[in-house]
Amino acid sequence: PAAPDTFLAVLVEVFSYWTVQTNTLVALACAIPLLAPRSAAGRFFERPIVRMALAIYIATTGLIYLVLLSGLWNPAGFQRVVDITLHYVTPILYPLSWLLLEEHGRLQWRDAPKLLIYPLIYVTYTLLRGALIGTYPYPFVDVNELGLPQVLINSAALAVVFLLAGLVLVAVDRWLGRRKIAARTSGAS
């Protein structure tokens, strides 16, 4: 396939990668509540389910890259700096900040399945776009190479991983929230 030849085509190409989307969302989630806390976007990015979902999305960015994709290319120079930042630094720091800096105890078990919405939209977009242009951003969603049934199996497996991670983080959130309440009550007596 030919390389994108317009700015818009390049932009669409770049933002078709889960890595770019999740890193962008993390940047927005960090910046908008500080810059415009009362805006709709500021309130959205402050929601506990959004913060937890982004922790999972960006962590999977790092894990999938580490396990499946890192051997597919060898960036150098500035590309290496970007590679390390997008695939290692942010995927470690944001979930760590969620764990250490968030106010915990606000998530419910029913929140975990909600985090599947964005990945479902992403895979639907990826498959439709790939069917139109004939290329896919990642080998595990490449219908041309794997066939649609295998890509759907891969996508379902990732959905299970997202859901399990969501359940684990809800459990961690609830545990940390209870711990904070217990510390407050024992400190008050």
Side-chain angles (χ1 to χ4, degrees):
D5 61 353
T6 66
F7 177 75
L8 182 59
V10 169
L11 200 60
V12 168
E13 177 75 20
V14 168
F15 276 92
S16 292
Y17 286 90
W18 176 264
T19 298
V20 174
Q21 289 183 22
T22 56
N23 275 275
T24 301
L25 288 170
V26 165
L28 292 172
C30 292
I32 292 175
L34 292 174
L35 300 174
R38 292 193 174 105
S39 69
R43 290 189 309 274
F44 173 79
F45 283 117
E46 282 292 311
R47 293 178 56 207
I49 181 63
V50 173
R51 307 291 281 190
M52 178 196 66
L54 288 176
I56 291 169
Y57 301 156
I58 198 67
T60 58
T61 296
L63 289 172
I64 289 171
Y65 183 77
L66 181 67
V67 173
L68 300 175
L69 303 172
S70 62
L72 298 179
W73 78 313
N74 189 21
F78 183 69
Q79 279 188 329
R80 181 75 176 139
V81 172
V82 172
D83 177 65
I84 290 170
T85 303
L86 297 181
H87 295 115
Y88 298 103
V89 175
T90 306
I92 291 170
L93 290 182
Y94 188 81
L96 194 58
S97 74
W98 178 86
L99 184 64
L100 299 174
L101 303 176
E102 288 296 316
E103 179 183 331
H104 292 288
R106 300 184 295 165
L107 291 170
Q108 304 295 317
W109 292 111
R110 68 178 179 269
D111 290 329
K114 294 175 188 174
L115 66 91
L116 295 175
I117 295 168
Y118 177 63
L120 179 61
I121 291 168
Y122 178 80
V123 77
T124 301
Y125 164 78
T126 299
L127 294 177
L128 290 173
R129 180 176 179 271
L132 289 173
I133 67 168
T135 62
Y136 298 85
Y138 299 107
F140 51 87
V141 291
D142 191 335
V143 173
N144 298 328
E145 292 294 319
L146 303 175
L148 185 59
Q150 185 60 53
V151 168
L152 293 176
I153 290 168
N154 295 348
S155 299
L158 284 171
V160 169
V161 169
F162 281 121
L163 184 58
L164 290 175
L167 291 169
V168 167
L169 287 195
V170 168
V172 167
D173 176 77
R174 293 168 65 87
W175 178 74
L176 288 171
R178 284 192 304 274
R179 224 174 119 199
K180 181 177 152 187
I181 290 169
R184 235 184 291 138
T185 20
S186 70
S189 23

